[in-house]
Structures are given as structure tokens and as C-alpha cells.
Amino acid sequence: MLGTHVEVVIEVPRGSFTKRRPDGRVHFVAPFPSPFNYGSVLGTLAPDGDPFDALVLGRRLPIGAETRGIVQGIVDFLDHDVADPK
């Protein structure tokens, strides 16, 4: 997957404290603002059954923005003992 071109939809803008569910309800509120834009890679399916998560560096992007990028690295993460790479 490294070096792959991907399209990402932003769910949590850089500097935001709140992550929302697709229906707009609050999923969680973080104690610190997100240091990056956080979203999902369109057209993918991760081991947890959701699209692969993506951390997008750079300027703050609005919720729902779609952006293209190249996968530069992968952060291994476990969520309730299920692989959930970023």
C-alpha cells in the first residue's frame, strides 16, 4: 500500500476536538485537538470492517472535503484487539 495514490474524505479537521458518526451524532470528544486531518480512504475495507483510516498532514481541511494523496507510511494500531491501521 505504500506509494499508492488514494482519495480520502475528511471526518475530523486538524484542530478539532470532536469526531462525529456518519449521521452527524457525536462519536467522541477528545481532550486535545487533533494535530492532523483525520478521515477515511474511499473504496477500501480495513480488518475492522470500516474503510481504512487516514491521517492527512497539512493545512486544516473542512469536514467532508475530499483530497488525494500518496500513502507515505502506516501506523499500526489495535482497537479492541482488532487491527485498525492508520
Side-chain angles (χ1 to χ4, degrees):
M1 186 152 191
L2 289 176
T4 302
H5 290 262
V6 294
E7 291 192 38
V8 176
V9 63
I10 300 302
E11 299 168 4
V12 180
R14 189 179 85 188
S16 179
F17 289 86
T18 307
K19 182 172 191 224
R20 296 188 177 274
R21 297 185 183 281
D23 65 5
R25 291 182 302 142
V26 173
H27 182 67
F28 70 84
V29 177
F32 302 103
S34 179
F36 40 72
N37 298 290
Y38 177 88
S40 298
V41 179
L42 297 173
T44 63
L45 192 62
D48 66 358
D50 292 329
F52 275 101
D53 297 321
L55 311 178
V56 179
L57 304 179
R59 65 180 174 81
R60 178 183 169 100
L61 299 170
I63 293 174
E66 292 184 15
T67 186
R68 290 184 52 83
I70 299 172
V71 177
Q72 299 291 316
I74 298 172
V75 178
D76 288 327
F77 188 78
L78 287 177
D79 187 357
H80 295 95
D81 293 325
V82 176
D84 189 16
K86 315 290 185 211

